[in-house]
Amino acid sequence: MKQLSAPVTALVLAVAGSASAQTPTTNPMPDGSRDMYAGLGAVSRPRYEGGDSRVLRALPVLQVQWSNGVFISGMSAGMHLSDRPTVEYGPLLSVHPDRDEAGAGNEIGATAWTFPSVMPAQRAGSARLTGMRDIGTRVEGGAFLNYYLTPEWRLTSSVLAGAGNDRNGARMELGVQRLAFQLAPHHAVSLNAGVTLVNSAYNRAYFGVSDSEAVSSGNPAYRPGGGVKDVRVGARWNWALSPSWLLTTQVQAIRLTDDARHSPLVERSTNVSVSTAFAYRF
């Protein structure tokens, strides 16, 4: 019978907007083997970072890890290079989703439904992206470094560059994770908290308003600098329905800070995303 192994403690949902690039825990395996989870669910999240309305999307789930250290985890991929049990590091790639005037862009997930949080007559601010330049999907490249304080607690960090239409946006994510602990038979919970730092090019791409965009959108011109973009906390609940089937549910709260928070594009500085999916272990 299959047993749920280490990667499930860090199972990452494939589409979560601008969710942080997470890396699965190192999972020693026989040479030539791999561990794989795939599935489908749904995610409810803000239409865009700082948006007030929400979107509900189909949610593919994918996590694969090979014995040579290569992994795919949601919208990220990388490779574990360390052979030390307390340190993880290696190269990292991540897909940063696009953003159009509707906010949601063309992420993975075929269907979306919108849930306004206020009445239509009060929603003048919901069109703040109208007239703003679309931002294309970008592949970011960088590296990750994780350190285990104990077998249960892990400090995480990653640096990625290449976001925005000019591909010069960069972000650093620092976090702490409490790896999955058992609440009851077949039920495990993991916790995380973190902060995202970005350069000025990133903030200008996603939260700035150029002079020409001010004319076309009606928003005031805004040129943010770099700094702390957000702080976040989250929890994940994994329910092992069988040795092969898993129900994974995540809740994450993100609060925009500093220059990002004061952008004229931001309607709500604090938002919560909720996702749930069934995954099958192959």
Side-chain angles (χ1 to χ4, degrees), residues 155-268:
L155 298 178
T156 63
S157 65
S158 64
V159 176
L160 291 165
N165 283 331
D166 295 329
R167 296 182 172 84
N168 57 356
R171 57 190 171 118
M172 172 185 287
E173 297 183 345
L174 305 173
V176 59
Q177 294 177 345
R178 172 55 167 96
L179 300 182
F181 55 95
Q182 192 172 49
L183 287 181
H186 311 296
H187 296 269
V189 171
S190 57
L191 307 172
N192 69 85
V195 60
T196 305
L197 297 88
V198 299
N199 65 355
S200 58
Y202 185 102
N203 261 352
R204 288 197 300 271
Y206 294 95
F207 297 97
V209 181
S210 67
D211 291 339
S212 61
E213 288 173 327
V215 173
S216 61
S217 68
N219 295 306
Y222 185 65
R223 187 177 177 84
V228 178
K229 178 180 78 74
D230 64 53
V231 293
R232 63 187 183 275
V233 294
R236 182 182 301 281
W237 165 46
N238 289 332
W239 180 7
L241 302 172
S242 74
S244 296
W245 282 99
L246 174 79
L247 176 65
T248 180
T249 301
Q250 177 174 277
V251 177
Q252 185 172 63
I254 298 179
R255 180 171 178 81
L256 297 173
T257 63
D258 296 345
D259 284 10
R261 179 185 178 187
H262 295 106
S263 167
L265 304 179
V266 172
E267 301 166 341
R268 182 187 293 270

Side-chain angles (χ1 to χ4, degrees), residues 66-83:
W66 288 270
S67 60
N68 61 3
V70 175
F71 62 85
I72 298 172
S73 187
M75 300 297 286
S76 302
M79 184 175 186
H80 286 283
L81 296 179
S82 175
D83 57 2

Side-chain angles (χ1 to χ4, degrees), residues 87-144:
V87 178
E88 299 169 339
Y89 63 83
L92 184 66
L93 296 174
S94 183
V95 178
H96 201 299
D98 62 348
R99 188 189 75 187
D100 58 19
E101 290 187 349
N106 296 309
E107 298 176 43
I108 298 173
T111 308
W113 302 268
T114 302
F115 297 89
S117 60
V118 291
M119 296 299 290
Q122 299 173 300
R123 292 187 64 223
S126 66
R128 297 186 191 185
L129 294 183
T130 301
M132 294 293 297
R133 183 185 180 192
D134 292 349
I135 303 174
T137 303
R138 293 290 177 258
V139 176
E140 303 169 291
F144 68 91

